[in-house]
């Protein structure tokens, strides 16, 4: 297998090194990621400035690594568009520093790199460790990533579908098992912090405590990792709400004439 490793934490992040090393037994491993931390950059396509992609040394022997100045989705696109000559069999993104659950997916550079891969019709799995601390141990998560790739689930994924895997920060023998779960509900505890610059102009930070979330609703990613399970969520790029399409049938939207006058809805 030829495996591409992506993520958004910077090319020497411990989670990227651990994942690349865990993939080595499967064949050829190439790392292409942003040089620096680009977490929460979302899904971006850089089209209005040149992309740089430079070979860099990597701490694991036998792995080619390239660093970019752009988004992780850009680095996957560059790899897919011919920067890597040989066909890629699997894209793994991670292991992210911190979980990617609930609404995190819309911000996540980790998941966006996997989305970019499925847009190129390549199987992709995103891995995140539910621990943002500097001392986090990526060993158990790397062992689980290796196990999941060995199981070959990625060969059964339909088009535009990826696996989003969140791993609790526990020793391997304390992780209770795997759960296939849906996205839960995150709570962001963001605060707007206003400051004044030396010229008297206001500027703003989005600050505040780390996000929390509903860990009580059974069957979600937040619930599973909170209870010591590896959370596996199949994610589809089709973001259509099919339930809402059915609801909107009752609104008879398609029988309305565009532009027809109506009393304003109060
Ligand atoms: Mn990250």
């Amino acid at each position: 297998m030829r495996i591409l490793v992506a993520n958004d934490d910077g090319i020497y992040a411990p989670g990227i090194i651990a994942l690349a090393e865990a993939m080595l037994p499967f064949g050829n491993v190439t790392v292409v990621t942003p040089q620096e931390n680009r977490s929460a950059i979302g899904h971006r396509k850089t089209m209005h400035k040149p992309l740089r992609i430079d070979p860099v040394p990597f701490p694991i022997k036998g792995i080619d690594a390239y660093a970019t100045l752009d988004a992780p989705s850009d680095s996957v696109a560059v790899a897919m568009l011919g920067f890597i000559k040989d066909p890629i069999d699997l894209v793994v993104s991670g292991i992210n520093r911190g979980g990617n659950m609930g609404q995190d997916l819309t911000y996540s550079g980790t998941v966006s790199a996997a989305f970019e891969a499925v847009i190129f019709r390549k199987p992709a799995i995103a891995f995140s460790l539910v621990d943002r601390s500097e001392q986090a141990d990526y060993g158990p998560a790397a062992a689980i990533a290796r196990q999941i790739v060995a199981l070959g689930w990625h060969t059964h994924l339909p088009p535009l579908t990826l696996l989003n895997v969140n791993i609790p920060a526990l020793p391997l023998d304390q992780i209770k098992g795997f759960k296939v779960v849906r996205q839960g509900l995150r709570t962001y505890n963001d605060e707007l912090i206003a400051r004044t610059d030396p010229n008297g102009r206001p500027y703003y930070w989005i600050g505040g405590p780390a996000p929390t979330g509903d860990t009580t609703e059974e069957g979600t990613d937040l619930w599973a990792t909170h209870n010591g399970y590896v959370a596996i969520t199949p994610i589809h790029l089709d973001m259509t709400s099919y339930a809402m399409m059915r609801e909107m049938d009752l609104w008879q939207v398609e029988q309305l004439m565009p532009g027809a006058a109506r009393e304003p809805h109060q």
Side-chain angles (χ1 to χ4, degrees):
M1 259 207 291
R2 185 169 290 272
I3 299 176
L4 175 66
V5 176
N7 197 19
D8 63 2
D9 289 337
I11 196 153
Y12 299 124
I16 294 177
I17 296 168
L19 183 58
E21 187 175 28
M23 294 299 107
L24 258 184
F26 301 112
N28 188 289
V29 178
T30 306
V31 177
V32 185
T33 87
Q35 176 85 44
E36 306 292 341
N37 186 5
R38 291 280 185 277
S39 290
I41 199 168
H43 198 164
R44 193 163 86 173
K45 183 175 284 192
T46 299
M47 298 173 74
H48 304 290
K49 64 183 186 73
L51 299 173
R52 302 279 179 193
I53 180 159
D54 295 310
V56 291
F58 199 72
I60 309 294
K61 211 166 154 259
I63 294 179
D64 290 332
Y66 301 89
T68 81
L69 301 177
D70 305 289
S73 46
D74 289 321
S75 46
V76 171
V78 167
M80 294 293 164
L81 288 168
F83 182 81
I84 295 180
K85 299 284 178 274
D86 302 294
I88 303 283
D89 300 300
L90 172 65
V91 176
V92 289
S93 186
I95 300 164
N96 193 58
R97 177 171 175 247
N100 278 300
M101 301 182 282
Q103 305 95 293
D104 296 342
L105 272 67
T106 61
Y107 300 103
S108 172
T110 308
V111 177
S112 293
F115 269 144
E116 190 66 18
V118 301
I119 287 172
F120 281 94
R121 301 287 161 121
K122 296 293 179 187
I125 310 176
F127 295 101
S128 303
L129 178 66
V130 187
D131 186 350
R132 289 185 174 196
S133 68
E134 292 291 335
Q135 320 82 278
D137 178 8
Y138 288 87
I144 282 165
R146 183 182 296 187
Q147 182 183 5
I148 287 174
V149 172
L151 286 163
W153 293 337
H154 57 277
T155 62
H156 301 286
L157 294 174
L160 300 182
T161 307
L162 61 87
L163 293 182
N164 184 37
V165 179
N166 282 280
I167 301 154
L170 293 169
L172 212 44
D173 60 3
Q174 287 175 35
I175 295 178
K176 290 189 206 151
F178 296 97
K179 290 280 183 193
V180 178
V181 287
R182 63 185 183 277
Q183 285 173 259
L185 269 184
R186 259 292 190 221
T187 306
Y188 296 101
N189 304 301
D190 296 341
E191 293 163 12
L192 186 65
I193 298 167
R195 298 266 164 81
T196 307
D197 77 12
N199 301 313
R201 256 183 87 204
Y203 65 95
Y204 302 91
W205 285 91
I206 296 175
T212 49
D214 183 352
T215 55
T216 63
E217 192 192 350
E218 199 170 329
T220 69
D221 45 16
L222 286 154
W223 166 84
T225 54
H226 181 78
N227 288 288
Y229 293 95
V230 176
I232 302 175
T233 307
I235 301 288
H236 199 278
L237 244 185
D238 180 353
M239 291 184 275
T240 311
S241 166
Y242 290 94
M244 199 62 205
M245 279 182 79
R246 287 190 294 277
E247 169 74 19
M248 289 181 78
D249 277 348
L250 304 173
W251 300 0
Q252 301 186 306
V253 171
E254 294 180 6
Q255 279 142 54
L256 295 176
M257 290 304 293
R262 285 273 162 155
E263 288 303 307
H265 183 80
Q266 295 297 325

